[in-house]
Amino acid sequence: MEQSEVLKRVIGILTEAGDYRRRIEQDEERGSRNTEIGIVTALLNETMPHIEIPADATPQEMATLVAREVGGAIQQLVAAFSLAFVALAQVHDSGEQDVSSADVLQDLALRAEEAKGDGPQTSRE
């Protein structure tokens, strides 16, 4: 999966997490709780490689194989979450009160689409 696609998925997770938090707050008032977040599972299923381990592989060979196959996917996820965190933190630290976290994430998603080369060529300033 391309890094821009991973970033857009991470943005989706963060957006969904905000919605989820609001639902929990509302549910606490009503006494109901739904704790399922399927979007994270979907991202992991799509970004993590499927690994076939030979039946005769030693524990060391299995560890090497898993590290090699999973390492790149983990790096992509960490990079995307880190970028989103930094973008959100910069706006927070600047004290801009007229920019919401949703605005920051939307702008980041637009930039990811532009970086991919198939999205709109304008971004919010």
Side-chain angles (χ1 to χ4, degrees):
M1 186 178 291
E2 290 185 29
Q3 186 64 31
S4 61
E5 184 64 28
V6 173
L7 178 57
K8 288 189 291 184
R9 296 294 180 97
V10 164
I11 292 165
I13 288 171
L14 295 173
T15 301
E16 180 69 22
D19 294 341
Y20 179 70
R21 180 188 54 92
R22 283 186 287 281
R23 285 193 308 269
I24 286 176
E25 289 170 355
Q26 291 171 353
D27 289 347
E28 284 177 354
E29 294 171 7
R30 293 187 294 243
S32 169
R33 272 193 194 213
N34 180 1
T35 59
E36 183 179 342
I37 301 180
I39 193 168
V40 173
T41 301
L43 175 67
L44 290 173
N45 287 337
E46 292 173 7
T47 56
M48 291 297 150
H50 296 273
I51 303 170
E52 292 186 31
I53 299 175
D56 61 343
T58 67
Q60 182 61 39
E61 290 169 336
M62 284 192 311
T64 300
L65 179 62
V66 170
R68 184 179 64 232
E69 295 295 322
V70 174
I74 291 173
Q75 287 177 343
Q76 279 189 310
L77 289 170
V78 169
F81 273 106
S82 298
L83 180 61
F85 173 82
V86 168
L88 291 163
Q90 285 177 334
V91 171
H92 175 270
D93 291 349
S94 73
E96 292 184 52
Q97 295 184 4
D98 60 334
V99 179
S100 70
S101 59
D103 294 335
V104 174
L105 293 173
Q106 183 180 22
D107 183 61
L108 195 54
L110 289 171
R111 290 173 191 256
E113 194 65 27
E114 288 173 5
K116 187 176 177 183
D118 60 358
Q121 296 302 308
T122 60
S123 69
R124 299 175 43 166
E125 297 294 329

